[in-house]
């Protein structure tokens, strides 16, 4: 009879352990999905920031090259219109 009580307690403990394990794995799965979604969002935003930064560098380089071309064209002493 004491063996039967011990066996029932072990089985009950295993059922509770299985129930808790299933809950934990479901939570981890949801957390993993949310973590991946957040990572994709951050990567997208970082990519947009890199693209904007590159566009700004190109615009600055174009402006500098246009200015230097205009400066070299206006080296003559003719009058300029304002």
């Amino acid at each position: 009879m004491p063996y039967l009580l011990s066996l029932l307690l072990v089985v009950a403990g295993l059922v509770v352990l299985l129930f808790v394990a299933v809950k934990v794995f479901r939570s981890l799965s949801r957390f993993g999905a949310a973590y991946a979604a957040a990572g994709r969002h951050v990567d997208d935003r970082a990519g947009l920031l890199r693209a904007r930064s590159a566009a700004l560098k190109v615009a600055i380089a174009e402006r500098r090259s246009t200015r230097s071309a205009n400066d070299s064209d206006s080296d003559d002493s003719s009058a300029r219109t304002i």
Side-chain angles (χ1 to χ4, degrees), residues 6-56:
S6 297
L7 184 62
L8 286 175
L9 285 175
V10 168
V11 169
L14 288 175
V15 167
V16 169
L17 180 65
L18 182 65
F19 178 74
V20 170
V22 167
K23 287 284 191 180
V24 167
F25 285 127
R26 282 185 186 167
S27 296
L28 285 176
S29 175
R30 278 185 256 146
F31 176 77
Y35 182 79
R40 286 190 302 268
H41 180 72
V42 168
D43 287 343
D44 289 346
R45 300 293 287 185
L48 288 172
L49 187 59
R50 282 191 293 272
R52 287 179 181 173
S53 175
L56 186 59

